[in-house]
Amino acid sequence: MAWKKWRKLFIRRFSVNKNTAAYIVSLVLLGGAVLLGVLVGTVSISPEVLWNPGSDQSAANILWNIRMPRVVLAGLVGASLAIAGAAFQGLLKNPLADPYTLGVSSGASVGAVMTLFFSISVPFLGIFTLPVVSMIGALATMLAVMAFAKLVDRSMKMETVILTGIIFSSFLGSVISLMIALTGEELRQIIGWLLGSVSMRGWPYVQMALPFVIIGSAVLWWNRRELNAMLFGEERARHLGVDVKKRKMAILIAGSVLTGAAVSVSGTIGFVGLVVPHMVRLLWGADHRHVLPLSFINGAALLILCDLVSRTIISPTELPIGVITAFIGAPVFAFIFFRQRKGGV
């Protein structure tokens, strides 16, 4: 019996060390990404400016008023999409689920484009009109996709949910195209926004997204144990005391809030919610107590680095950040799909 006790102790200690290593590696990666994001660009900035702005006033102005809000916003968007993707994948038990493939991003885009197209401004919401309408679009699309997929196939197979998401995404894409065709002076603003970017947004956009990122992430974190229970099936989760209906709705709403907030400040940026949770599970395991926070940290790091590449690779011209994430995400999507079909996952 003694060897079993030692074996349990070894596994427990290894698991703790592995999780600690995961957080250390992820935080170092995020710190490195932030430093590169604020220091590297068309104008190189010395690290000294970070703690001594008086050493170069012009560089300090660029760093704190242009690059820092851009980096923070990219981090918030990446973190939101990644943690929402991790929650959707856990809830649907489907590694291909993310806000982009489920059509939730398209729903949020329609909400945002409608706000820009019709110049909607709700008096008591002020600057929060855009993210709130985007979230409503995201949530409505999520519910419609789930309802239609269940109508087609009550077992909600992976292919059914993804295909339903693609159908809704295509339809909503045509709605956006229609609004663009009808638009006049707003065309440039809408096209620029749809391409996906965090450039020239500034601190007001950070303030706009931050409350929703905190609320949505907190709700998902609150449901981390329920997500673990639901991995074994809804029936078993009920036997474990989980209020499945209530928790599912809370997770769907929180995921939609995060997606809507991200899309409203950055446009449509795909595949972050697919790539990051998949890599986290592959490297550090499937426990949602760690998958959610690690996806949050690594999602932020990934989008900050993608934004850095998008503005420096063919400088001074800037690429849309969605192009960079698609270059990374599409092969990963194909790889996961291939493994799924071969029964490898």
Side-chain angles (χ1 to χ4, degrees), residues 100-155:
Y100 191 67
T101 55
L102 290 175
V104 182
S105 292
S106 298
S109 299
V110 169
V113 170
M114 280 177 64
T115 307
L116 296 172
F117 182 72
F118 294 110
S119 301
I120 298 171
S121 179
V122 181
F124 65 89
L125 289 177
I127 62 167
F128 294 109
T129 301
L130 186 62
V132 168
V133 176
S134 291
M135 284 170 214
I136 292 170
L139 181 60
T141 306
M142 184 76 226
L143 294 175
V145 167
M146 300 306 294
F148 189 77
K150 197 167 186 179
L151 195 68
V152 174
D153 179 4
R154 294 194 69 81
S155 64

Side-chain angles (χ1 to χ4, degrees), residues 17-31:
N17 289 340
K18 186 182 173 186
N19 292 331
T20 306
Y23 285 105
I24 291 171
V25 169
S26 301
L27 288 171
V28 168
L29 182 65
L30 178 59

Side-chain angles (χ1 to χ4, degrees), residues 72-315:
V72 173
L73 190 63
L76 289 177
V77 170
S80 302
L81 294 174
I83 195 172
F88 286 150
Q89 289 168 18
L91 184 66
L92 300 173
K93 298 185 286 296
N94 186 338
L96 292 176
D98 93 318
Y100 191 67
T101 55
L102 290 175
V104 182
S105 292
S106 298
S109 299
V110 169
V113 170
M114 280 177 64
T115 307
L116 296 172
F117 182 72
F118 294 110
S119 301
I120 298 171
S121 179
V122 181
F124 65 89
L125 289 177
I127 62 167
F128 294 109
T129 301
L130 186 62
V132 168
V133 176
S134 291
M135 284 170 214
I136 292 170
L139 181 60
T141 306
M142 184 76 226
L143 294 175
V145 167
M146 300 306 294
F148 189 77
K150 197 167 186 179
L151 195 68
V152 174
D153 179 4
R154 294 194 69 81
S155 64
M156 303 274 283
K157 286 180 183 169
M158 176 191 77
E159 294 86 351
T160 309
V161 176
I162 297 299
L163 282 173
T164 307
I166 291 170
I167 291 167
F168 273 76
S169 188
S170 302
F171 172 73
L172 294 169
S174 65
V175 172
I176 293 172
S177 299
L178 176 65
M179 282 193 275
I180 290 172
L182 295 175
T183 196
E185 292 180 358
E186 303 90 352
L187 178 65
R188 189 180 178 85
Q189 185 187 5
I190 292 174
I191 293 288
W193 177 86
L194 279 175
L195 287 172
S197 173
V198 288
S199 68
M200 303 308 291
R201 299 294 202 259
W203 291 113
Y205 278 76
V206 174
Q207 293 167 3
M208 191 193 298
L210 187 60
F212 301 106
V213 175
I214 293 172
I215 293 168
S217 302
V219 172
L220 293 183
W221 171 249
W222 182 50
N223 286 285
R224 62 196 183 283
R225 290 192 175 86
E226 285 72 17
L227 276 168
N228 277 345
M230 282 190 265
L231 282 177
F232 299 103
E234 293 186 7
E235 199 59 40
R236 193 159 180 183
R238 276 193 199 94
H239 289 150
L240 291 170
V242 176
D243 186 340
V244 173
K245 192 175 177 183
K246 186 178 165 186
R247 298 294 183 161
K248 274 175 75 174
M249 189 53 70
I251 293 165
L252 289 175
I253 291 173
S256 301
V257 164
L258 286 162
T259 307
V263 170
S264 66
V265 295
S266 67
T268 308
I269 296 174
F271 297 110
V272 176
L274 176 77
V275 173
V276 176
H278 185 72
M279 290 301 169
V280 167
R281 285 196 185 89
L282 203 64
L283 292 171
W284 310 111
D287 185 344
H288 283 92
R289 291 175 301 169
H290 302 297
V291 168
L292 294 177
L294 287 172
S295 295
F296 188 92
I297 298 168
N298 287 290
L302 176 67
L303 208 64
I304 291 170
L305 291 174
C306 286
D307 179 52
L308 176 64
V309 172
S310 74
R311 63 186 161 87
T312 55
I313 193 167
I314 53 169
S315 178

